[in-house]
Amino acid sequence: MNKAIYPGSFDPITNGHIDIVYRACSLFDEVTIAVFDNPSKSPLFTSKERVDLIQCVFEENRQVKVEYFSGLLAQYAESKSIFTIIRGLRAVSDFDYEFQLSIINRKLNHNLDTIFLMTDQKFSYLSSSVVKQLSSFDATIDSLVPEAVKRALQSKQNISNDSQEISCG
Ligand code: COA
């Protein structure tokens, strides 16, 4: 089986990420979306909420698995015996960081390769922060995130930063 890992903080998952996952699914038999914490960010959603939201989005897609991992990506890949990382590139400005990340990962685990997919042009401006900011000002985000994410953002704003149960329906 041809497998790949799509890692990220996914706080929250957006339609730009989802586009990358579907395209990765046409290249690989199985794609594991690995939810990590980036120590330099303060997530709005807990790791469980982020995983639950992604599971809602892909609940009918058997090619997609979702997991949380708190260590190094290279260690996670080793533990899963998966040696291909998928990353999306939105613009040239993403390249330096991604280049550095892929080299560090390969230094840590020499079997690891990173494949870059160009983000669809219509999502090239999109980020999780943009979505959170728009939502916090009640701007419409219908074309940017799935319905479950939109509702989770709205209820997060209503109940401040407390942990919440995610509902798909
Ligand atoms: N569509 C929309 N948005 C996209 C996108 C796409 N196709 N691709 C990236 N983004 C956005 C994300 O929403 C995110 O936005 P934000 O900054 O507003 O949150 C931003 O681009 C980058 O986020 P992400 O792809 O999640 O990267 P990250 O820098 O938060 O984390 C990890 C990347 C998880 C892969 C990295 O931190 C990691 O490997 N962590 C584990 C520890 C480790 O091994 N570190 C490496 C050695 S130091």
Side-chain angles (χ1 to χ4, degrees):
M1 231 196 191
N2 208 359
K3 298 182 181 183
I5 295 168
Y6 180 39
S9 37
F10 303 109
D11 183 46
I13 190 161
T14 69
N15 288 347
H17 297 124
I18 293 167
D19 171 62
I20 296 286
V21 174
Y22 280 124
R23 284 158 56 203
C25 283
S26 66
L27 300 171
F28 294 90
D29 300 315
E30 188 180 289
V31 175
T32 299
I33 303 178
V35 176
F36 280 85
D37 282 318
N38 181 334
S40 58
K41 294 180 178 175
S42 309
L44 175 65
F45 291 99
T46 66
S47 52
K48 181 178 182 307
E49 289 165 349
R50 285 178 276 153
V51 167
D52 289 351
L53 279 172
I54 300 171
Q55 269 163 350
C56 287
V57 174
F58 293 103
E59 64 187 345
E60 279 166 20
N61 189 328
R62 301 185 61 182
Q63 257 181 291
V64 177
K65 313 278 175 224
V66 190
E67 286 186 358
Y68 171 74
F69 195 75
S70 61
L72 287 172
L73 174 56
Q75 287 171 344
Y76 173 74
E78 184 76 50
S79 74
K80 305 285 293 178
S81 299
I82 302 177
F83 301 105
T84 307
I85 305 294
I86 302 283
R87 294 285 288 167
L89 282 181
R90 290 166 300 171
V92 178
S93 51
D94 281 344
F95 183 77
D96 277 349
Y97 172 66
E98 294 298 337
F99 186 62
Q100 186 186 27
L101 203 62
S102 70
I103 291 175
I104 294 169
N105 283 328
R106 208 167 148 76
K107 269 206 171 300
L108 293 170
N109 178 346
H110 196 66
N111 297 315
L112 214 47
D113 268 313
T114 306
I115 292 185
F116 297 103
L117 297 179
M118 300 304 147
T119 299
D120 191 302
Q121 199 184 359
K122 63 178 179 283
F123 301 123
S124 59
Y125 62 93
L126 191 54
S127 72
S128 301
S129 303
V130 162
V131 165
K132 285 181 279 194
Q133 200 167 121
L134 289 173
S135 173
S136 74
F137 289 107
D138 286 330
T140 177
I141 52 169
D142 293 7
S143 61
L144 309 181
V145 293
E147 187 59 31
V149 173
K150 183 179 145 188
R151 272 189 280 106
L153 277 163
Q154 285 164 345
S155 83
K156 197 52 127 173
Q157 276 140 21
N158 292 338
I159 60 169
S160 76
N161 280 357
D162 294 344
S163 180
Q164 59 174 318
E165 283 299 316
I166 299 299
S167 94
C168 300

